[in-house]
Amino acid sequence: MIRNSQCETGISFVGCGSATPKKIINNNQLGQRVDTNDEWIQSRTGIGERRVIGENESLIDLATDAALNAVKMANWDVKTIDLIILATSTPEDLFGSAPKIQSNLKASNAVAFDLTAACSGFLFALVTASQYLASGSMKRAVVIGADQLTKWVDWDDRKTCVLFGDGAGAVAIETTDNQDGLIGYDLKSDGSKGGCLNLFQSNIFLDLVQGAKHQKGEYLPIKMEGKEVYKFAVKEVPIILGELLDKYQIKPESIDWLLLHQANQRILDAVASRFSIPSEKVLSNLKHYGNTSAATIPLMLDEAVRDQRIKPGDLIACSGFGAGLSWGAALFFWHGPY
Ligand code: ACO
């Protein structure tokens, strides 16, 4: 069922920001570690290089910088922020990393929590935040997507290690009495197919006392059936986006930008061709960052806003998909500056 945001209060996208690690690892460098090469990676994925968090960096610092950049663009006093949601599957603290970001931002009036939905996480967090705003209980929210999958990648598995990188992106959204910026959205899950892509706990039990064991807190590296995830994405993303466009009677040619989770250039191209969207309208920065999981959508948005491809009033068709399996789509207008 498609939910829509036709509530009394509308939502306006007024700021965005991003931050990425300093260290760049290109495909040729990866070829020194595993049996791969630039030609294979570029032709199958579109990825040329990725960024990896190094010793003097942290996911929380990147997420804080991304959020701060979004708040500055929105020209907000940090004390007016009501809500901070961090979409991540790779928190520094399993109890939640968002409160640390809240404290770094000095956003003392904001409640902050983490949300996990893998590569769909940013979209799920955006929709969650929009509910608080649409209900009228809150006015300003920062939604962050940030992930450090490089710490969970098996760097000796060439089928997965070439795909992922680290990064953070954020948006600032607020209530508005004017035109609702979030036209509509839909979110979906299919846990029965969750085995295609996991970052699962290890099943190790250690002795506790005589006759009792306790489970060791530890996770296994990312495991992925690439072909299955690929087939899922190229099937489900056009369906969910198509249903949204139909519901709001928006023709694909009216879309200014197609903003998809950056997993693979071939997935972007396949979805665009289903709607006959020309490549100039398909946002892609996979070449430089690879798949940064929950960060890809706000990272791409921020790049295209700051280089003035996306202009105030532009209509953006957005979709995220990934582990869970989970997927979602949203149609929104960019109302921020630039
Ligand atoms: N370098 C060189 N050769 C490789 C590499 C590599 N890095 N990886 C795999 N190969 C080889 C395989 O061993 C295989 O060789 P074989 O035929 O001798 O066995 C051959 O290339 C083809 O492998 P496939 O796995 O069939 O390659 P495919 O064309 O399916 O591409 C890929 C693999 C890029 C992973 C693709 O399936 C894909 O992008 N899937 C979607 C993945 C995705 O989007 N995941 C993220 C979801 S988001 C989230 O929630 C984290």
Side-chain angles (χ1 to χ4, degrees):
M1 191 195 76
I2 294 174
R3 294 83 167 174
N4 65 52
S5 57
Q6 285 165 353
C7 302
E8 282 157 30
T9 311
I11 286 144
S12 192
F13 289 73
V14 292
C16 57
S18 63
T20 54
K22 288 191 191 68
K23 191 74 193 166
I24 299 171
I25 309 283
N26 67 30
N27 292 343
N28 288 326
Q29 289 172 289
L30 276 190
Q32 296 161 17
R33 169 92 188 212
V34 286
D35 182 13
T36 191
N37 56 72
D38 183 55
E39 198 283 326
W40 192 97
I41 303 171
Q42 294 255 18
S43 61
R44 303 278 178 138
T45 69
I47 299 166
E49 59 192 27
R50 70 285 299 142
R51 296 189 176 222
V52 178
I53 288 179
E55 280 169 317
N56 297 320
E57 296 172 311
S58 80
L59 188 75
I60 287 178
D61 287 347
L62 289 185
T64 301
D65 287 348
L68 206 54
N69 290 336
V71 170
K72 278 188 193 153
M73 186 189 283
N75 205 14
W76 289 352
D77 174 348
V78 287
K79 298 282 184 291
T80 65
I81 303 169
D82 300 306
L83 173 67
I84 297 168
I85 305 183
L86 171 66
T88 189
S89 303
T90 55
E92 288 184 31
D93 183 340
L94 281 178
F95 287 151
S97 292
K100 179 70 181 147
I101 298 167
Q102 180 249 16
S103 134
N104 288 349
L105 290 177
K106 300 188 173 49
S108 50
N109 294 313
V111 62
F113 60 87
D114 292 14
L115 182 151
T116 299
C119 298
S120 310
F122 174 77
L123 212 52
F124 279 44
L126 178 68
V127 170
T128 302
S130 76
Q131 304 309 297
Y132 287 93
L133 270 51
S135 74
S137 65
M138 293 183 179
K139 286 189 167 21
R140 287 184 165 170
V142 177
V143 181
I144 308 163
D147 264 311
Q148 186 181 0
L149 284 183
T150 61
K151 70 180 173 183
W152 295 113
V153 161
D154 174 355
W155 287 102
D156 295 314
D157 173 10
R158 69 175 182 173
K159 290 190 174 186
T160 53
C161 76
V162 300
L163 302 174
F164 300 108
D166 302 330
V171 295
I173 56 173
E174 66 183 4
T175 54
T176 176
D177 295 330
N178 300 324
Q179 183 192 25
D180 191 359
L182 183 59
I183 300 168
Y185 62 85
D186 196 12
L187 305 175
K188 289 187 188 269
S189 304
D190 183 359
S192 71
K193 298 204 179 88
C196 293
L197 183 51
N198 299 107
L199 204 177
F200 213 73
Q201 64 178 0
S202 62
N203 205 21
I204 297 171
F205 282 80
L206 303 174
D207 289 331
L208 174 60
V209 291
Q210 199 172 9
K213 290 181 180 285
H214 73 90
Q215 190 164 10
K216 187 166 189 286
E218 194 177 83
Y219 289 82
L220 298 169
I222 294 170
K223 186 173 76 58
M224 183 180 73
E225 291 172 33
K227 271 199 191 318
E228 293 309 309
V229 178
Y230 185 91
K231 282 191 274 181
F232 145 73
V234 297
K235 175 172 176 250
E236 297 295 349
V237 173
I239 292 175
I240 199 168
L241 259 182
E243 286 175 354
L244 262 190
L245 292 170
D246 284 350
K247 178 173 170 83
Y248 293 97
Q249 298 181 331
I250 295 172
K251 292 199 168 66
E253 52 267 35
S254 306
I255 295 169
D256 293 302
W257 301 103
L258 184 64
L259 172 53
L260 302 183
H261 167 50
Q262 309 277 301
N264 184 321
Q265 187 63 42
R266 289 189 297 159
I267 297 176
L268 271 56
D269 296 342
V271 174
S273 84
R274 290 286 292 275
F275 295 103
S276 303
I277 296 175
S279 57
E280 313 85 74
K281 290 185 169 185
V282 182
L283 294 169
S284 173
N285 62 4
L286 267 162
K287 195 169 172 47
H288 298 296
Y289 302 108
N291 178 348
T292 56
S293 193
T296 66
I297 290 173
L299 185 60
M300 183 68 252
L301 177 76
D302 187 48
E303 183 181 310
V305 165
R306 286 178 196 269
D307 70 18
Q308 302 186 349
R309 268 177 289 172
I310 295 179
K311 301 196 169 49
D314 277 359
L315 171 60
I316 298 169
C318 181
S319 180
F321 54 87
L325 295 176
S326 61
W327 65 108
L331 298 171
F332 64 90
F333 290 107
W334 171 250
H335 281 155
Y338 283 84

